[in-house]
Amino acid sequence: MDARMGCCIDVGHAVRAGTNVVQAIHEAGPRLFNIHMKDLTNFQSKESQVAVGEGKMPVREIFETLILERYQGFIDLEYEVHPDDPIPGVTDSFAYMRDVKSRIVIGDY
């Protein structure tokens, strides 16, 4: 297959389908072109979405794997709750992800 063919992993869809999202990122390797990031308190329920860092998503392991795979694409936040006032959850999600990323020691990889 042409190297321009790749995939986008939506971590919420992946875990709800029973996929180990960290392993999926590793297996996609250089064909991973985009990540849709969210967090869930229940991997069987789309309605359990919360700000990133408040759920069960293995955020640190996801970021570690992205670094290990030398991922160069985007990480798009999908925050689909509190439509009347999403900014606090969006802000908290970005702050949490930035903090996680800042604590990963790049030299370890």
Side-chain angles (χ1 to χ4, degrees), residues 81-101:
V81 293
H82 306 295
D84 294 335
D85 189 20
I87 298 303
V90 168
T91 302
D92 290 348
S93 295
F94 279 121
Y96 181 81
M97 290 188 290
R98 285 184 179 121
D99 182 61
V100 166
K101 184 177 177 284

Side-chain angles (χ1 to χ4, degrees), residues 22-35:
V22 173
Q23 185 63 31
I25 291 168
H26 176 70
E27 290 176 4
R31 292 196 181 266
L32 180 60
F33 293 164
N34 193 262
I35 293 280

Side-chain angles (χ1 to χ4, degrees), residues 10-82:
D10 181 305
V11 299
H13 292 301
V15 297
R16 283 196 319 274
T19 300
N20 178 322
V21 69
V22 173
Q23 185 63 31
I25 291 168
H26 176 70
E27 290 176 4
R31 292 196 181 266
L32 180 60
F33 293 164
N34 193 262
I35 293 280
H36 290 179
M37 189 68 191
K38 62 179 59 125
D39 206 345
L40 304 168
T41 60
N42 179 336
F43 287 169
Q44 283 72 49
S45 173
K46 180 179 181 178
E47 287 72 33
S48 74
Q49 187 180 4
V50 292
V52 176
E54 294 179 5
K56 296 174 27 177
M57 196 63 65
V59 178
R60 180 178 176 84
E61 292 83 1
I62 288 170
F63 276 75
E64 287 173 339
T65 305
L66 292 170
I67 290 168
L68 183 65
E69 294 297 328
R70 294 180 168 82
Y71 178 68
Q72 298 296 310
F74 293 100
I75 299 172
D76 300 324
L77 174 64
E78 286 192 343
Y79 187 75
E80 303 165 320
V81 293
H82 306 295

